[in-house]
Amino acid sequence: MGKSAYHDVVNDIEICEKNNGRMNGDTTLVVVSKTFPVDEILPVVNAGARTFGENRVQEAASKWPQIREQFDKIELHLIGPLQSNKAAQAVQLFDVIQTIDREKIAAVIAREMKKQNKSLQLFVQVNTGSEPQKAGVLPENTTEFVRFCREKYGLQISGLMCIPPNNEDPGQHFTLLKRLSEECQCQYLSMGMSADYRLAIEFGATHVRVGSAIFGQRPTNNQ
Ligand SMILES: *Cc1c(COP(=O)(O)O)cnc(C)c1O
């Protein structure tokens, strides 16, 4: 795990790109470091990783400022749900927010980016399985929501993100997300995790979010 697992995933992504007629480097590996402490993250940064994902603002705040002091060009992605009272801190800490999914969040993010004079890359999270417990806009509302974010708040939504339901073939969800991204002219597709990132690349992912395949299993109460 750690450094060697990171290299394995990087190699694997390269092979998948080649096998699917994708350009080398087409897919950004977002290393998901949630729940893992700084001393387990540092070897992976040392191995060359620069793009990381965290799902909690508070946790990211406790880990990443010290890592950024030692390393240039870290790109941090928020991949978990965002509450509006954490928006200011999120805009400070992160470079990319992948989980825009409601008007209130779009509004506070727009306001904070202006206030902090900082422009983040933004993705809309889509609940491709229409699961009641899951975050994200419904597929049928996605195009309208993206247009709304762009027109009302001037947000440059550049990608879509999804987390397919646990016990379903992820391929159909990747297909749906790809189709929606074409409809709303979003360049980036964040889909695929440890179990299915190869498949996601086959379906056109530009970002894969890989945690346990690099760091090992997380405690089960911390999905
Ligand atoms: C935890 C998490 C991941 C990483 O999952 P693994 O199966 O450990 O690769 C990816 N995306 C999101 C949104 C996550 O919360």
Side-chain angles (χ1 to χ4, degrees), residues 1-149:
M1 287 300 144
K3 183 181 164 159
S4 68
Y6 166 72
H7 285 305
D8 289 347
V9 172
V10 169
N11 286 338
D12 210 23
I13 288 173
E14 232 177 87
I15 292 166
C16 288
E17 287 173 341
K18 198 172 286 174
N19 289 345
N20 291 286
R22 306 276 308 272
M23 298 257 290
N24 187 293
D26 229 16
T27 321
T28 300
L29 169 58
V30 181
V31 178
V32 177
S33 50
K34 65 186 186 193
T35 78
F36 292 98
V38 170
D39 64 352
E40 287 185 54
I41 299 171
L42 284 177
V44 179
V45 187
N46 268 315
R50 289 295 179 274
T51 308
F52 288 85
E54 291 279 350
N55 67 337
R56 295 203 172 105
V57 175
Q58 224 46 54
E59 184 185 338
S62 76
K63 286 152 58 173
W64 286 93
Q66 52 180 308
I67 302 175
R68 283 193 200 266
E69 274 178 21
Q70 301 175 56
F71 293 92
D72 278 342
K73 300 198 168 83
I74 298 284
E75 185 179 282
L76 200 56
H77 291 233
L78 178 62
I79 59 169
L82 179 59
Q83 268 107 48
S84 47
N85 63 353
K86 300 262 173 64
Q89 205 181 5
V91 168
Q92 256 171 37
L93 274 168
F94 289 92
D95 305 289
V96 182
I97 295 178
Q98 295 202 6
T99 51
I100 304 292
D101 69 349
R102 55 196 191 278
E103 175 173 2
K104 190 168 180 203
I105 286 300
V108 290
I109 291 298
R111 196 183 63 208
E112 277 305 323
M113 291 200 311
K114 200 166 286 172
K115 207 162 135 188
Q116 298 183 32
N117 193 23
K118 187 178 173 193
S119 174
L120 277 68
Q121 206 176 80
L122 302 173
F123 294 10
V124 163
Q125 182 175 355
V126 183
N127 184 356
T128 55
S130 304
E131 296 171 279
Q133 82 285 8
K134 204 167 261 178
V137 293
L138 293 173
E140 62 268 31
N141 299 335
T142 302
T143 307
E144 196 192 332
F145 181 70
V146 170
R147 188 186 318 126
F148 176 82
C149 289

Side-chain angles (χ1 to χ4, degrees), residues 32 34 55 79-80 161 163 192-195 209-213 218 223:
V32 177
K34 65 186 186 193
N55 67 337
I79 59 169
M161 177 272 225
I163 309 169
M193 318 203 297
S194 291
R209 310 177 308 266
V210 180
S212 49
R218 289 176 297 273
Q223 52 87 31

